[in-house]
Amino acid sequence: MTTVNGGVSFWYAASGLPERRAGLVGEVEADVCVVGGGYTGLWAAYYLKQAAPELEVVVVEGEFCGYGASGRNGGWLYNGIAGRGRYARSHGEDAARRLQLAMNDTVSETLRAAAAEGIDCDAHRGGVLEIATSPAQLARLKERFAHEQAFGADQVELLSAAETAERLYAPGVLGATWTPNGARVHPAKLVVGLAAAVERSGVRIYESTPVTAIAPRKVSTARGGVKARVVLRCTEGFTANIAGQKRSWLPMNSSMIATEPLPAEVWEAIGWEGREVLGDEAHAYMYAQRTADDRIALGGRGYPYRYGSRIDQDGATPDGTVAQLREILRKMFPAAAEARIDHAWSGVLGVPRDWCATVALDPATGVGFAGGYVGSGVATTNLAGRTLRDLTLRHLGKGGRTELTELPWVGHRVRRWEPEPLRWLGVHALYAVYRHADRHEHARTSALATLADRISGRG
């Protein structure tokens, strides 16, 4: 059996791609128009109808709900959020701590809502295990552990090499952190089930309807338009396809592979009985899960960015990237070194210039947006959707300020990315530095990688 490459993602391999809903025809009106049928847009629509069933809510999606990152990600439902350190510097540590505590709660809220709607998404709350495989990585791990405790993630535990081996055997691991604030999910089952729940609530979903322009109270497509008092842009990595948004968020590529189901003797050698979602402290980091049918699904950055913010549509992955991911698999899990790779795929995530997730709604125009999750979106989208709900209800005169609308990521603004060719040159140079650092640093973090963090906005 050869590796399937593309086809959106492995997560649709068993069920097939969803049957598409009808597209928009002509002009329609609504109270709220959500652009984008991924997690962010669907959660926003879901919570809006829960809070105010009388609202007319429309979702417009260019392909089908879950076509983008929501149907391609690594299934990490966890409490990480992009930009917490920057928000601590700009708004104070108490504000950043409130944001972190909200993210901790979001893991439980997402699982609660999925269960309430009967969405079987293979959820398993095994927590988050992040490992270090060199002294430099171990130093970064310990530093991050201290930060997590300071920001209210006090359930995080620092594990020795021996304690880590009790959970997972991977050669050369020097230590790890673990927190219960994480769960494995099947991304496509979650988004498909969420779309069905949103539709049951009375939201109109139009698929196969790419949006060409967004303006106050108006969404334009080649098939017609939507007039609405509030327009919410929830397009994440596909934002560059919207007129005027080419440099707002950079569409960063991330790629994954999935092995065949592994036999019991392989799992006996690896361990991983807790089925934690798994990451590491590399600069060009790895993320993985043990799937419900006992595969290893593993991802990393691969080819990070396409010139001109172009977006690959079907998930096809370069052979070199597949080879890189396979090598990571072999080094980390020697017992699975000869496992067949059943599927490889890629997708894009939205990266702001300062690497900070953001949610906002302009009261002057009624146009809102959320995104810039930088790969931590499975849970963050739920918090973003609830925050967009509160901002929308306030704009429509149906609510006021809430704890969510006062979080420090609300209304954050960031400068645009550089024009080409600077954007392409910069991203590829930075990731070349990160990979060089991962190969050659040992006792301490590479000074070049630290400089790259500052230049890129990650630091």
Side-chain angles (χ1 to χ4, degrees), residues 410-456:
V410 175
H412 176 69
R413 296 186 179 276
V414 63
R415 68 183 176 91
R416 290 157 65 83
W417 281 89
E418 290 78 2
E420 297 292 19
L422 297 178
R423 196 157 70 246
W424 187 92
L425 291 170
V427 172
H428 282 269
L430 288 168
Y431 270 86
V433 169
Y434 289 143
R435 292 192 182 95
H436 180 273
D438 287 333
R439 287 193 300 268
H440 299 289
E441 70 178 11
H442 180 67
R444 63 184 64 183
T445 293
S446 163
L448 283 174
T450 301
L451 177 62
D453 283 345
R454 291 175 182 168
I455 295 172
S456 69

Side-chain angles (χ1 to χ4, degrees), residues 148 172 323 328:
E148 293 302 308
I328 293 172

